[in-house]
Amino acid sequence: MPELPDVEVYRRYFDSTALHQAIQHVRVPGPELLVDTTPQALGRALHGAAFRKTERHGKYLLAHLDSGKCLVLHFGMSGDLAYCQAGNRTPQYTQLEIDFANNSRLAYRCPRKLGHIALADSPNAWIRSHELGPDALRISEREFLRLSGSGHGRAKSWLMDQRQIAGIGNYYSDEILFQCLIHPASELAELNKSNRERIFNVMQRVLHKAIDCNADPEALPESYLLPHRGKDGHCPRCGGNLEQMTIGGRTAWYCPGCQPG
DNA sequence: AGGACGCCCTGTTCGC
DNA sequence: TGCGAACAGGGCGTCC
């Protein structure tokens, strides 16, 4: 589920559970998720250290160790975090388990194994090496207008391109374009400045609202698209049937009446 | 150069 | 009801 709002919720969860505790042991049941590191190297980097603070860039969670390095977590299409008190069983699909001195544990779960675990020298080093654009919640309106003004491709694809702006995925791109009344297949180059200003403002509002709702689409207001997204879904604005189409290899849902092409 | 596509993996849902 | 097929909120490499 992990788009920006989900990862922000995970980040806050990480902060409330896993900071400032001595790491006693690291287990890597899913070594195939490691990027440019090994279970041994990860163990060496984490053992005896503690997490000092976290940041999020787009869909990546970066946890600073007191050694200066960062643990990087990406959740693919299905990952999450679970903090387990001493005595509780480690949950299913755990790919990385970090044991703390008080016997509690942080489990990174990723059933579909499409996520990544890495070590980075710094957030900036990671962002650079992955060519990530600015975070969708920290980009200024001015910068957004500049980037989108020279972008190409279809509006949905552009919003989902992590090299342009980082954090928007398939679900929230649908929501943003729905609230902007812009068809997901619109060519970005054909959107004028006021369209793009609208996208910026709606993007901020939607992402903040989603975080407030714990990144649970069903908890979003009735007037949002996401609670209705899917087969047999109806537009909360006009009541018409929602339609789907494939854009950039992903399923876009939209209202043909409210988002004319 | 940029966009479309296949693929990675596995749990869940769909449709015959 | 039961089965295989298709699909799922991501990202990368390859191909045109």
Side-chain angles (χ1 to χ4, degrees), chain A residues 101 109 121 135 165 205 212 226 231 248-249:
Chain A
R109 307 179 337 115
D121 289 333
D135 181 82
I165 47 173
R205 191 173 71 225
D212 288 346
L226 287 184
K231 201 168 164 294

Side-chain angles (χ1 to χ4, degrees), chain A residues 151-163:
Chain A
H152 17 203
R154 292 184 282 194
K156 179 179 172 68
S157 298
W158 187 85
L159 281 172
M160 289 174 57
D161 185 347
Q162 305 300 299
R163 291 167 305 183

Side-chain angles (χ1 to χ4, degrees), chain A residues 4-19 54-56 61 75 81 106 137 207-215:
Chain A
L4 185 152
D6 308 82
V7 180
E8 178 61 21
V9 170
Y10 297 163
R11 191 191 69 76
R12 294 177 185 187
Y13 180 75
F14 192 112
D15 277 4
S16 70
T17 56
L19 293 185
T54 58
E55 348 184 347
R56 181 193 51 70
L61 173 57
F75 298 90
L81 296 175
L106 183 70
L137 275 184
L207 294 176
H208 282 298
K209 187 68 179 179
I211 293 167
D212 288 346
C213 292
N214 243 11

